[in-house]
Amino acid sequence: MARSALLNIDTQCSFFQRDFWEDSNFADFSRNMNTLISGCSERQIPVVDIFHVDESGPFSIASGFVTPMPFLTHKPTTTFHKHVHNAFTDTGLDNWLRRQNIDHVIICGMRTEQCCETTARVASDLGYQVTFVSEATLTFAMTWQGVTLDSDALHHRTETVLTGRFATISTVAECLAGLTMQE
């Protein structure tokens, strides 16, 4: 039986300071994330908060914005700071998960197609079973070469490239239904 941990990636106040911030999907995201965190906590699944930290700007510790978004009220089992897109490089997360005998990670958080997707790919490459709870991730429209992908298109793109290769795509309800109580 798999032993699980929930990775809450970059759900931090730093994002409120970005010029691309928009509230359009935020209410659904925060509700879904709180349901996922509560469900994992009830099953005694560790919740790991991961914050992105830069040397300057709104993602620096000195900015005061590297804090959980106000809707989050849980007490994480542990917290890691990262400096790159994935949550594993130079953070100690892999060692911590292995010491806890965890072989299954559940991914939620900010920037679906960046930090969440990259963490899922690295986790899979490291041998973890990965569940990607897309409805508990949030992202924003992006434009390149005159083509804009809205957040729904980015979610779909991420699910398409992860499923069957790096992760199982899941709703909050599906994820929680598949989990059992951990000790």
Side-chain angles (χ1 to χ4, degrees), residues 6-9 11 33 36-37 106-110 116 133 136-137:
L6 176 63
L7 305 183
N8 171 22
I9 300 171
T11 312
M33 179 170 279
L36 182 61
I37 290 171
I106 303 160
I107 308 283
C108 66
M110 296 291 297
C116 294
V133 186
T137 67

Side-chain angles (χ1 to χ4, degrees), residues 8-158:
N8 171 22
I9 300 171
D10 298 348
T11 312
Q12 62 195 72
C13 292
S14 308
F15 280 101
F16 296 138
Q17 309 307 310
R18 292 296 206 196
D19 59 356
F20 55 74
W21 176 262
E22 63 169 270
D23 289 342
S24 60
N25 295 321
F26 188 65
D28 289 340
F29 161 71
S30 56
R31 183 183 64 253
N32 291 335
M33 179 170 279
N34 274 333
T35 300
L36 182 61
I37 290 171
S38 294
C40 285
S41 295
E42 289 167 6
R43 291 162 177 80
Q44 299 179 358
I45 292 170
V47 177
V48 179
D49 282 358
I50 299 156
F51 295 107
H52 188 93
V53 176
D54 287 335
E55 290 185 27
S56 61
F59 286 83
S60 70
I61 297 294
S63 74
F65 298 122
V66 181
T67 59
M69 288 187 168
F71 74 88
L72 294 172
T73 59
H74 69 285
K75 181 173 176 9
T77 306
T78 189
T79 301
F80 293 93
H81 289 169
K82 65 184 188 61
H83 305 281
V84 296
H85 291 103
N86 81 80
F88 287 95
T89 301
D90 296 329
T91 63
L93 175 62
D94 184 42
N95 289 333
W96 184 87
L97 292 169
R98 293 187 193 285
R99 284 195 315 270
Q100 307 303 313
N101 295 315
I102 292 168
D103 57 0
H104 171 235
V105 294
I106 303 160
I107 308 283
C108 66
M110 296 291 297
R111 294 314 296 255
T112 307
E113 77 296 340
Q114 290 183 39
C115 298
C116 294
E117 179 182 329
T118 305
T119 297
R121 288 172 180 258
V122 172
S124 176
D125 285 351
L126 291 172
Y128 293 95
Q129 177 187 348
V130 180
T131 300
F132 194 89
V133 186
S134 191
E135 67 183 5
T137 67
L138 183 69
T139 198
F140 311 96
M142 297 176 74
T143 302
W144 189 66
Q145 292 187 337
V147 176
T148 299
L149 297 179
D150 65 15
S151 62
D152 290 339
L154 287 167
H155 270 96
H156 180 76
R157 180 224 151 269
T158 297

